[in-house]
Amino acid sequence: MTTAAFAGSRGRLLFERNLMVYRRSWMVIFSGVFEPLFYLFSMGIGLGHFVGKVPLPGGRLVDYASFVAPALLASAAMNGAVYDAVLSTPIEPADVAVGETAWALFRGFLYAISFMAVAGALGLIESAWGLLALPGAVVIGFAFAGVGVAATTFMRTWQDFELIGLVQLPMFLFSATFFPITTYPSAIQWVVRLSPLYHAVQLLRALNLGTVGWAQLVNVGYLLVLGACGLFVAQRRIGKLLLK
């Protein structure tokens, strides 16, 4: 058996361990999907009643709720992929990195499919391309799961986890989530384009609205590279932590 296959098989055990732990507290898993839904009903539908239509780059006008929904789906995938497991484990660093990333990815998938079901019921999926939003959300979950696992290896105490929220909140508010990026000055637009959530939002928004182009390959590539780099850093860091 190859090293990668061995790590994957033992990482699966850690994934199953998390599944067993949360089996009786499933509401903890699904609680994170409610926040994007609250934003959808309050901002997308409530505020959208006064905002009206939002212009897309090609001049097409869409309802504000349809504009915001894909961004909130991306946020749901991000929230679900936030890593919150313990690092104390008797298995190898590669197993920890693979297993915990898989678990975070699974949570992100659950958040995304729950949100997408509600958005679909409200008629906010405007294109057949929108069916690909779910696998797109999995890519987003992988990116944030990898980064999340890597980030937590640098946390010294549980209070340091507040730093994750400190990064997530401005990313959520300023990644063209609630308004087009063109509302920013040109210099700020380049900063926003560096945000991983911006690429996640652009990917799902293009799929949902049927405006898919070559730029979405850049979005997917950015997210995959980000997740892979996070997983690599997590594996190395966990190895060092377990040797201490």
Side-chain angles (χ1 to χ4, degrees), residues 175-221:
S175 294
T177 310
F178 296 105
F179 38 80
I181 192 174
T182 52
T183 58
Y184 291 115
S186 298
I188 303 298
Q189 290 182 29
W190 286 105
V191 176
V192 173
R193 287 189 174 96
L194 297 177
S195 164
L197 185 58
Y198 170 77
H199 286 273
V201 169
Q202 290 301 103
L203 173 62
L204 296 192
R205 185 168 283 155
L207 290 172
N208 185 66
L209 299 178
T211 57
V212 178
W214 292 107
Q216 277 56 68
L217 292 179
V218 176
N219 300 145
V220 171

mmCIF file of all heavy atoms in Angstrom, residues 175-221:
data_model
loop_
_atom_site.group_PDB
_atom_site.id
_atom_site.type_symbol
_atom_site.label_atom_id
_atom_site.label_comp_id
_atom_site.label_asym_id
_atom_site.label_seq_id
_atom_site.Cartn_x
_atom_site.Cartn_y
_atom_site.Cartn_z
ATOM 1 N N SER A 175 -16.220 40.928 0.380
ATOM 2 C CA SER A 175 -15.789 40.114 -0.762
ATOM 3 C C SER A 175 -16.819 40.151 -1.880
ATOM 4 O O SER A 175 -17.087 39.137 -2.522
ATOM 5 C CB SER A 175 -15.529 38.673 -0.310
ATOM 6 O OG SER A 175 -14.429 38.599 0.565
ATOM 7 N N ALA A 176 -17.400 41.321 -2.105
ATOM 8 C CA ALA A 176 -18.460 41.499 -3.102
ATOM 9 C C ALA A 176 -19.640 40.590 -2.785
ATOM 10 O O ALA A 176 -20.321 40.079 -3.675
ATOM 11 C CB ALA A 176 -17.937 41.233 -4.510
ATOM 12 N N THR A 177 -19.888 40.394 -1.498
ATOM 13 C CA THR A 177 -20.971 39.527 -1.048
ATOM 14 C C THR A 177 -22.331 40.187 -1.255
ATOM 15 O O THR A 177 -23.267 39.562 -1.769
ATOM 16 C CB THR A 177 -20.795 39.190 0.450
ATOM 17 O OG1 THR A 177 -19.459 38.740 0.677
ATOM 18 C CG2 THR A 177 -21.779 38.122 0.879
ATOM 19 N N PHE A 178 -22.439 41.443 -0.867
ATOM 20 C CA PHE A 178 -23.735 42.124 -0.878
ATOM 21 C C PHE A 178 -23.852 43.199 -1.954
ATOM 22 O O PHE A 178 -24.924 43.772 -2.121
ATOM 23 C CB PHE A 178 -23.992 42.755 0.496
ATOM 24 C CG PHE A 178 -24.101 41.750 1.608
ATOM 25 C CD1 PHE A 178 -23.063 41.578 2.504
ATOM 26 C CD2 PHE A 178 -25.226 40.964 1.742
ATOM 27 C CE1 PHE A 178 -23.155 40.647 3.524
ATOM 28 C CE2 PHE A 178 -25.325 40.026 2.757
ATOM 29 C CZ PHE A 178 -24.281 39.864 3.649
ATOM 30 N N PHE A 179 -22.771 43.490 -2.654
ATOM 31 C CA PHE A 179 -22.819 44.498 -3.708
ATOM 32 C C PHE A 179 -21.693 44.227 -4.690
ATOM 33 O O PHE A 179 -20.699 43.580 -4.355
ATOM 34 C CB PHE A 179 -22.710 45.917 -3.130
ATOM 35 C CG PHE A 179 -21.756 46.027 -1.974
ATOM 36 C CD1 PHE A 179 -20.385 46.114 -2.176
ATOM 37 C CD2 PHE A 179 -22.229 46.038 -0.675
ATOM 38 C CE1 PHE A 179 -19.512 46.210 -1.120
ATOM 39 C CE2 PHE A 179 -21.361 46.126 0.403
ATOM 40 C CZ PHE A 179 -19.990 46.216 0.180
ATOM 41 N N PRO A 180 -21.814 44.706 -5.927
ATOM 42 C CA PRO A 180 -20.789 44.450 -6.938
ATOM 43 C C PRO A 180 -19.449 45.054 -6.545
ATOM 44 O O PRO A 180 -19.381 46.080 -5.862
ATOM 45 C CB PRO A 180 -21.356 45.132 -8.196
ATOM 46 C CG PRO A 180 -22.822 45.235 -7.944
ATOM 47 C CD PRO A 180 -22.980 45.430 -6.467
ATOM 48 N N ILE A 181 -18.388 44.428 -6.990
ATOM 49 C CA ILE A 181 -17.043 44.897 -6.663
ATOM 50 C C ILE A 181 -16.765 46.274 -7.266
ATOM 51 O O ILE A 181 -15.908 47.010 -6.794
ATOM 52 C CB ILE A 181 -15.987 43.871 -7.145
ATOM 53 C CG1 ILE A 181 -14.609 44.202 -6.538
ATOM 54 C CG2 ILE A 181 -15.948 43.799 -8.668
ATOM 55 C CD1 ILE A 181 -13.552 43.174 -6.843
ATOM 56 N N THR A 182 -17.514 46.641 -8.293
ATOM 57 C CA THR A 182 -17.306 47.937 -8.947
ATOM 58 C C THR A 182 -17.674 49.117 -8.049
ATOM 59 O O THR A 182 -17.365 50.262 -8.380
ATOM 60 C CB THR A 182 -18.128 48.015 -10.245
ATOM 61 O OG1 THR A 182 -19.490 47.675 -9.970
ATOM 62 C CG2 THR A 182 -17.568 47.056 -11.289
ATOM 63 N N THR A 183 -18.333 48.843 -6.925
ATOM 64 C CA THR A 183 -18.654 49.933 -5.998
ATOM 65 C C THR A 183 -17.416 50.415 -5.246
ATOM 66 O O THR A 183 -17.441 51.492 -4.660
ATOM 67 C CB THR A 183 -19.722 49.479 -4.981
ATOM 68 O OG1 THR A 183 -19.235 48.336 -4.265
ATOM 69 C CG2 THR A 183 -21.015 49.129 -5.675
ATOM 70 N N TYR A 184 -16.339 49.631 -5.265
ATOM 71 C CA TYR A 184 -15.101 50.014 -4.599
ATOM 72 C C TYR A 184 -14.231 50.853 -5.532
ATOM 73 O O TYR A 184 -14.308 50.713 -6.764
ATOM 74 C CB TYR A 184 -14.296 48.779 -4.197
ATOM 75 C CG TYR A 184 -14.903 47.951 -3.098
ATOM 76 C CD1 TYR A 184 -15.331 46.645 -3.348
ATOM 77 C CD2 TYR A 184 -15.036 48.450 -1.814
ATOM 78 C CE1 TYR A 184 -15.872 45.864 -2.338
ATOM 79 C CE2 TYR A 184 -15.584 47.680 -0.800
ATOM 80 C CZ TYR A 184 -15.995 46.401 -1.061
ATOM 81 O OH TYR A 184 -16.536 45.632 -0.070
ATOM 82 N N PRO A 185 -13.354 51.688 -4.984
ATOM 83 C CA PRO A 185 -12.321 52.332 -5.809
ATOM 84 C C PRO A 185 -11.417 51.276 -6.441
ATOM 85 O O PRO A 185 -11.282 50.164 -5.910
ATOM 86 C CB PRO A 185 -11.544 53.189 -4.801
ATOM 87 C CG PRO A 185 -12.466 53.384 -3.655
ATOM 88 C CD PRO A 185 -13.314 52.145 -3.587
ATOM 89 N N SER A 186 -10.782 51.610 -7.546
ATOM 90 C CA SER A 186 -9.974 50.638 -8.295
ATOM 91 C C SER A 186 -8.903 49.991 -7.432
ATOM 92 O O SER A 186 -8.669 48.773 -7.514
ATOM 93 C CB SER A 186 -9.335 51.316 -9.505
ATOM 94 O OG SER A 186 -10.326 51.784 -10.386
ATOM 95 N N ALA A 187 -8.230 50.781 -6.597
ATOM 96 C CA ALA A 187 -7.156 50.243 -5.764
ATOM 97 C C ALA A 187 -7.690 49.203 -4.777
ATOM 98 O O ALA A 187 -7.056 48.166 -4.538
ATOM 99 C CB ALA A 187 -6.455 51.376 -5.010
ATOM 100 N N ILE A 188 -8.853 49.466 -4.206
ATOM 101 C CA ILE A 188 -9.445 48.536 -3.252
ATOM 102 C C ILE A 188 -9.928 47.269 -3.947
ATOM 103 O O ILE A 188 -9.904 46.173 -3.375
ATOM 104 C CB ILE A 188 -10.613 49.207 -2.493
ATOM 105 C CG1 ILE A 188 -10.132 50.463 -1.782
ATOM 106 C CG2 ILE A 188 -11.241 48.243 -1.508
ATOM 107 C CD1 ILE A 188 -9.077 50.206 -0.742
ATOM 108 N N GLN A 189 -10.351 47.402 -5.202
ATOM 109 C CA GLN A 189 -10.820 46.229 -5.939
ATOM 110 C C GLN A 189 -9.737 45.168 -6.046
ATOM 111 O O GLN A 189 -10.011 43.968 -5.938
ATOM 112 C CB GLN A 189 -11.286 46.638 -7.338
ATOM 113 C CG GLN A 189 -12.575 47.440 -7.359
ATOM 114 C CD GLN A 189 -13.017 47.774 -8.774
ATOM 115 O OE1 GLN A 189 -12.734 47.025 -9.720
ATOM 116 N NE2 GLN A 189 -13.713 48.883 -8.933
ATOM 117 N N TRP A 190 -8.479 45.598 -6.233
ATOM 118 C CA TRP A 190 -7.387 44.637 -6.340
ATOM 119 C C TRP A 190 -7.153 43.924 -5.018
ATOM 120 O O TRP A 190 -6.808 42.746 -4.989
ATOM 121 C CB TRP A 190 -6.110 45.334 -6.793
ATOM 122 C CG TRP A 190 -6.144 45.703 -8.242
ATOM 123 C CD1 TRP A 190 -6.314 46.930 -8.793
ATOM 124 C CD2 TRP A 190 -6.040 44.795 -9.349
ATOM 125 N NE1 TRP A 190 -6.323 46.858 -10.164
ATOM 126 C CE2 TRP A 190 -6.146 45.562 -10.532
ATOM 127 C CE3 TRP A 190 -5.848 43.418 -9.453
ATOM 128 C CZ2 TRP A 190 -6.072 44.982 -11.796
ATOM 129 C CZ3 TRP A 190 -5.777 42.832 -10.720
ATOM 130 C CH2 TRP A 190 -5.897 43.624 -11.867
ATOM 131 N N VAL A 191 -7.368 44.611 -3.922
ATOM 132 C CA VAL A 191 -7.238 43.976 -2.606
ATOM 133 C C VAL A 191 -8.346 42.937 -2.412
ATOM 134 O O VAL A 191 -8.104 41.822 -1.935
ATOM 135 C CB VAL A 191 -7.284 45.032 -1.485
ATOM 136 C CG1 VAL A 191 -7.242 44.368 -0.111
ATOM 137 C CG2 VAL A 191 -6.131 46.024 -1.630
ATOM 138 N N VAL A 192 -9.558 43.304 -2.800
ATOM 139 C CA VAL A 192 -10.699 42.391 -2.656
ATOM 140 C C VAL A 192 -10.485 41.131 -3.487
ATOM 141 O O VAL A 192 -10.820 40.020 -3.057
ATOM 142 C CB VAL A 192 -12.003 43.094 -3.072
ATOM 143 C CG1 VAL A 192 -13.170 42.117 -3.095
ATOM 144 C CG2 VAL A 192 -12.309 44.254 -2.133
ATOM 145 N N ARG A 193 -9.894 41.272 -4.665
ATOM 146 C CA ARG A 193 -9.670 40.119 -5.549
ATOM 147 C C ARG A 193 -8.681 39.117 -4.973
ATOM 148 O O ARG A 193 -8.584 37.984 -5.467
ATOM 149 C CB ARG A 193 -9.199 40.602 -6.924
ATOM 150 C CG ARG A 193 -10.303 41.242 -7.759
ATOM 151 C CD ARG A 193 -9.854 41.494 -9.187
ATOM 152 N NE ARG A 193 -10.948 41.970 -10.006
ATOM 153 C CZ ARG A 193 -11.194 43.259 -10.263
ATOM 154 N NH1 ARG A 193 -10.389 44.198 -9.753
ATOM 155 N NH2 ARG A 193 -12.209 43.610 -11.017
ATOM 156 N N LEU A 194 -7.942 39.503 -3.956
ATOM 157 C CA LEU A 194 -7.031 38.565 -3.304
ATOM 158 C C LEU A 194 -7.746 37.681 -2.286
ATOM 159 O O LEU A 194 -7.193 36.681 -1.839
ATOM 160 C CB LEU A 194 -5.894 39.338 -2.601
ATOM 161 C CG LEU A 194 -4.969 40.158 -3.502
ATOM 162 C CD1 LEU A 194 -3.960 40.923 -2.657
ATOM 163 C CD2 LEU A 194 -4.253 39.254 -4.506
ATOM 164 N N SER A 195 -8.957 38.042 -1.931
ATOM 165 C CA SER A 195 -9.707 37.294 -0.929
ATOM 166 C C SER A 195 -10.169 35.953 -1.493
ATOM 167 O O SER A 195 -10.759 35.901 -2.576
ATOM 168 C CB SER A 195 -10.922 38.117 -0.471
ATOM 169 O OG SER A 195 -11.853 37.299 0.206
ATOM 170 N N PRO A 196 -9.948 34.856 -0.768
ATOM 171 C CA PRO A 196 -10.457 33.565 -1.251
ATOM 172 C C PRO A 196 -11.972 33.523 -1.329
ATOM 173 O O PRO A 196 -12.536 32.863 -2.210
ATOM 174 C CB PRO A 196 -9.908 32.563 -0.229
ATOM 175 C CG PRO A 196 -9.556 33.372 0.974
ATOM 176 C CD PRO A 196 -9.168 34.721 0.471
ATOM 177 N N LEU A 197 -12.641 34.227 -0.420
ATOM 178 C CA LEU A 197 -14.103 34.232 -0.474
ATOM 179 C C LEU A 197 -14.601 34.972 -1.706
ATOM 180 O O LEU A 197 -15.650 34.632 -2.264
ATOM 181 C CB LEU A 197 -14.694 34.860 0.794
ATOM 182 C CG LEU A 197 -16.223 34.803 0.901
ATOM 183 C CD1 LEU A 197 -16.730 33.368 0.834
ATOM 184 C CD2 LEU A 197 -16.710 35.476 2.182
ATOM 185 N N TYR A 198 -13.859 35.985 -2.171
ATOM 186 C CA TYR A 198 -14.244 36.675 -3.407
ATOM 187 C C TYR A 198 -14.269 35.688 -4.574
ATOM 188 O O TYR A 198 -15.204 35.678 -5.377
ATOM 189 C CB TYR A 198 -13.277 37.821 -3.702
ATOM 190 C CG TYR A 198 -13.467 38.408 -5.085
ATOM 191 C CD1 TYR A 198 -14.523 39.274 -5.345
ATOM 192 C CD2 TYR A 198 -12.611 38.069 -6.140
ATOM 193 C CE1 TYR A 198 -14.722 39.800 -6.617
ATOM 194 C CE2 TYR A 198 -12.796 38.588 -7.410
ATOM 195 C CZ TYR A 198 -13.852 39.453 -7.645
ATOM 196 O OH TYR A 198 -14.056 39.965 -8.900
ATOM 197 N N HIS A 199 -13.242 34.848 -4.683
ATOM 198 C CA HIS A 199 -13.199 33.858 -5.767
ATOM 199 C C HIS A 199 -14.325 32.838 -5.596
ATOM 200 O O HIS A 199 -14.910 32.380 -6.590
ATOM 201 C CB HIS A 199 -11.836 33.163 -5.777
ATOM 202 C CG HIS A 199 -10.736 34.020 -6.297
ATOM 203 N ND1 HIS A 199 -10.418 34.111 -7.636
ATOM 204 C CD2 HIS A 199 -9.889 34.869 -5.658
ATOM 205 C CE1 HIS A 199 -9.415 34.967 -7.803
ATOM 206 N NE2 HIS A 199 -9.084 35.436 -6.618
ATOM 207 N N ALA A 200 -14.629 32.490 -4.355
ATOM 208 C CA ALA A 200 -15.741 31.570 -4.104
ATOM 209 C C ALA A 200 -17.066 32.192 -4.530
ATOM 210 O O ALA A 200 -17.898 31.545 -5.176
ATOM 211 C CB ALA A 200 -15.772 31.208 -2.620
ATOM 212 N N VAL A 201 -17.256 33.452 -4.179
ATOM 213 C CA VAL A 201 -18.489 34.158 -4.535
ATOM 214 C C VAL A 201 -18.618 34.282 -6.048
ATOM 215 O O VAL A 201 -19.695 34.034 -6.623
ATOM 216 C CB VAL A 201 -18.514 35.549 -3.872
ATOM 217 C CG1 VAL A 201 -19.645 36.405 -4.454
ATOM 218 C CG2 VAL A 201 -18.685 35.417 -2.359
ATOM 219 N N GLN A 202 -17.529 34.661 -6.706
ATOM 220 C CA GLN A 202 -17.569 34.821 -8.162
ATOM 221 C C GLN A 202 -17.898 33.510 -8.863
ATOM 222 O O GLN A 202 -18.639 33.486 -9.852
ATOM 223 C CB GLN A 202 -16.227 35.366 -8.658
ATOM 224 C CG GLN A 202 -15.961 36.811 -8.270
ATOM 225 C CD GLN A 202 -17.031 37.758 -8.805
ATOM 226 O OE1 GLN A 202 -17.910 38.215 -8.073
ATOM 227 N NE2 GLN A 202 -16.983 38.034 -10.086
ATOM 228 N N LEU A 203 -17.343 32.420 -8.363
ATOM 229 C CA LEU A 203 -17.600 31.113 -8.963
ATOM 230 C C LEU A 203 -19.079 30.743 -8.868
ATOM 231 O O LEU A 203 -19.718 30.411 -9.876
ATOM 232 C CB LEU A 203 -16.742 30.051 -8.269
ATOM 233 C CG LEU A 203 -17.013 28.596 -8.662
ATOM 234 C CD1 LEU A 203 -16.734 28.382 -10.140
ATOM 235 C CD2 LEU A 203 -16.181 27.645 -7.804
ATOM 236 N N LEU A 204 -19.641 30.814 -7.666
ATOM 237 C CA LEU A 204 -21.039 30.401 -7.485
ATOM 238 C C LEU A 204 -22.017 31.393 -8.095
ATOM 239 O O LEU A 204 -23.082 31.001 -8.586
ATOM 240 C CB LEU A 204 -21.328 30.214 -5.999
ATOM 241 C CG LEU A 204 -20.541 29.107 -5.294
ATOM 242 C CD1 LEU A 204 -21.110 28.832 -3.912
ATOM 243 C CD2 LEU A 204 -20.531 27.828 -6.116
ATOM 244 N N ARG A 205 -21.665 32.666 -8.077
ATOM 245 C CA ARG A 205 -22.551 33.662 -8.685
ATOM 246 C C ARG A 205 -22.637 33.453 -10.194
ATOM 247 O O ARG A 205 -23.723 33.544 -10.791
ATOM 248 C CB ARG A 205 -22.050 35.067 -8.351
ATOM 249 C CG ARG A 205 -22.965 36.183 -8.834
ATOM 250 C CD ARG A 205 -22.552 37.498 -8.213
ATOM 251 N NE ARG A 205 -22.985 37.594 -6.826
ATOM 252 C CZ ARG A 205 -22.379 38.360 -5.908
ATOM 253 N NH1 ARG A 205 -21.315 39.066 -6.236
ATOM 254 N NH2 ARG A 205 -22.845 38.398 -4.673
ATOM 255 N N ALA A 206 -21.502 33.162 -10.831
ATOM 256 C CA ALA A 206 -21.501 32.914 -12.274
ATOM 257 C C ALA A 206 -22.314 31.665 -12.613
ATOM 258 O O ALA A 206 -23.061 31.638 -13.594
ATOM 259 C CB ALA A 206 -20.063 32.773 -12.775
ATOM 260 N N LEU A 207 -22.184 30.633 -11.786
ATOM 261 C CA LEU A 207 -22.951 29.406 -12.026
ATOM 262 C C LEU A 207 -24.436 29.647 -11.829
ATOM 263 O O LEU A 207 -25.264 29.211 -12.638
ATOM 264 C CB LEU A 207 -22.457 28.307 -11.082
ATOM 265 C CG LEU A 207 -21.059 27.748 -11.358
ATOM 266 C CD1 LEU A 207 -20.626 26.826 -10.230
ATOM 267 C CD2 LEU A 207 -21.013 27.016 -12.691
ATOM 268 N N ASN A 208 -24.782 30.336 -10.783
ATOM 269 C CA ASN A 208 -26.191 30.555 -10.470
ATOM 270 C C ASN A 208 -26.882 31.444 -11.506
ATOM 271 O O ASN A 208 -28.050 31.228 -11.848
ATOM 272 C CB ASN A 208 -26.330 31.179 -9.085
ATOM 273 C CG ASN A 208 -27.773 31.313 -8.647
ATOM 274 O OD1 ASN A 208 -28.462 30.321 -8.433
ATOM 275 N ND2 ASN A 208 -28.251 32.549 -8.529
ATOM 276 N N LEU A 209 -26.163 32.439 -11.995
ATOM 277 C CA LEU A 209 -26.757 33.391 -12.924
ATOM 278 C C LEU A 209 -26.506 33.037 -14.386
ATOM 279 O O LEU A 209 -26.977 33.731 -15.285
ATOM 280 C CB LEU A 209 -26.228 34.800 -12.636
ATOM 281 C CG LEU A 209 -26.530 35.348 -11.242
ATOM 282 C CD1 LEU A 209 -25.903 36.728 -11.057
ATOM 283 C CD2 LEU A 209 -28.030 35.406 -10.979
ATOM 284 N N GLY A 210 -25.746 31.954 -14.626
ATOM 285 C CA GLY A 210 -25.493 31.532 -15.999
ATOM 286 C C GLY A 210 -24.520 32.402 -16.751
ATOM 287 O O GLY A 210 -24.551 32.440 -17.989
ATOM 288 N N THR A 211 -23.625 33.081 -16.039
ATOM 289 C CA THR A 211 -22.634 33.954 -16.689
ATOM 290 C C THR A 211 -21.249 33.320 -16.633
ATOM 291 O O THR A 211 -20.249 33.984 -16.350
ATOM 292 C CB THR A 211 -22.606 35.335 -16.008
ATOM 293 O OG1 THR A 211 -22.311 35.166 -14.599
ATOM 294 C CG2 THR A 211 -23.935 36.045 -16.161
ATOM 295 N N VAL A 212 -21.181 32.028 -16.897
ATOM 296 C CA VAL A 212 -19.930 31.275 -16.773
ATOM 297 C C VAL A 212 -18.970 31.648 -17.894
ATOM 298 O O VAL A 212 -19.363 31.780 -19.057
ATOM 299 C CB VAL A 212 -20.217 29.759 -16.800
ATOM 300 C CG1 VAL A 212 -18.925 28.964 -16.713
ATOM 301 C CG2 VAL A 212 -21.155 29.381 -15.663
ATOM 302 N N GLY A 213 -17.697 31.838 -17.540
ATOM 303 C CA GLY A 213 -16.661 32.171 -18.513
ATOM 304 C C GLY A 213 -15.321 31.604 -18.066
ATOM 305 O O GLY A 213 -15.226 30.836 -17.109
ATOM 306 N N TRP A 214 -14.270 32.008 -18.787
ATOM 307 C CA TRP A 214 -12.934 31.516 -18.465
ATOM 308 C C TRP A 214 -12.490 31.955 -17.069
ATOM 309 O O TRP A 214 -11.660 31.291 -16.445
ATOM 310 C CB TRP A 214 -11.932 31.998 -19.503
ATOM 311 C CG TRP A 214 -12.130 31.400 -20.854
ATOM 312 C CD1 TRP A 214 -12.636 32.013 -21.972
ATOM 313 C CD2 TRP A 214 -11.856 30.054 -21.233
ATOM 314 N NE1 TRP A 214 -12.687 31.138 -23.022
ATOM 315 C CE2 TRP A 214 -12.204 29.923 -22.602
ATOM 316 C CE3 TRP A 214 -11.343 28.947 -20.558
ATOM 317 C CZ2 TRP A 214 -12.053 28.722 -23.288
ATOM 318 C CZ3 TRP A 214 -11.184 27.741 -21.253
ATOM 319 C CH2 TRP A 214 -11.545 27.642 -22.593
ATOM 320 N N ALA A 215 -13.027 33.053 -16.579
ATOM 321 C CA ALA A 215 -12.632 33.540 -15.253
ATOM 322 C C ALA A 215 -12.936 32.522 -14.162
ATOM 323 O O ALA A 215 -12.256 32.484 -13.133
ATOM 324 C CB ALA A 215 -13.342 34.861 -14.948
ATOM 325 N N GLN A 216 -13.945 31.669 -14.403
ATOM 326 C CA GLN A 216 -14.298 30.687 -13.375
ATOM 327 C C GLN A 216 -13.232 29.606 -13.238
ATOM 328 O O GLN A 216 -13.092 29.000 -12.185
ATOM 329 C CB GLN A 216 -15.662 30.059 -13.691
ATOM 330 C CG GLN A 216 -16.834 30.912 -13.227
ATOM 331 C CD GLN A 216 -16.809 32.327 -13.781
ATOM 332 O OE1 GLN A 216 -16.985 32.528 -14.983
ATOM 333 N NE2 GLN A 216 -16.582 33.301 -12.919
ATOM 334 N N LEU A 217 -12.465 29.364 -14.319
ATOM 335 C CA LEU A 217 -11.336 28.442 -14.198
ATOM 336 C C LEU A 217 -10.277 29.020 -13.268
ATOM 337 O O LEU A 217 -9.629 28.282 -12.515
ATOM 338 C CB LEU A 217 -10.732 28.163 -15.580
ATOM 339 C CG LEU A 217 -11.612 27.366 -16.553
ATOM 340 C CD1 LEU A 217 -10.894 27.184 -17.881
ATOM 341 C CD2 LEU A 217 -11.968 26.003 -15.952
ATOM 342 N N VAL A 218 -10.100 30.331 -13.322
ATOM 343 C CA VAL A 218 -9.173 30.991 -12.398
ATOM 344 C C VAL A 218 -9.676 30.858 -10.965
ATOM 345 O O VAL A 218 -8.902 30.563 -10.048
ATOM 346 C CB VAL A 218 -9.003 32.481 -12.769
ATOM 347 C CG1 VAL A 218 -8.111 33.207 -11.756
ATOM 348 C CG2 VAL A 218 -8.427 32.613 -14.170
ATOM 349 N N ASN A 219 -10.987 31.051 -10.781
ATOM 350 C CA ASN A 219 -11.574 30.900 -9.440
ATOM 351 C C ASN A 219 -11.335 29.497 -8.892
ATOM 352 O O ASN A 219 -10.892 29.338 -7.745
ATOM 353 C CB ASN A 219 -13.076 31.169 -9.485
ATOM 354 C CG ASN A 219 -13.437 32.551 -9.969
ATOM 355 O OD1 ASN A 219 -14.445 32.738 -10.648
ATOM 356 N ND2 ASN A 219 -12.627 33.551 -9.641
ATOM 357 N N VAL A 220 -11.609 28.484 -9.707
ATOM 358 C CA VAL A 220 -11.442 27.093 -9.268
ATOM 359 C C VAL A 220 -9.975 26.802 -8.980
ATOM 360 O O VAL A 220 -9.638 26.187 -7.950
ATOM 361 C CB VAL A 220 -11.993 26.120 -10.323
ATOM 362 C CG1 VAL A 220 -11.633 24.678 -9.974
ATOM 363 C CG2 VAL A 220 -13.502 26.262 -10.443
ATOM 364 N N GLY A 221 -9.078 27.236 -9.884
ATOM 365 C CA GLY A 221 -7.648 27.004 -9.689
ATOM 366 C C GLY A 221 -7.132 27.651 -8.421
ATOM 367 O O GLY A 221 -6.363 27.046 -7.663
#
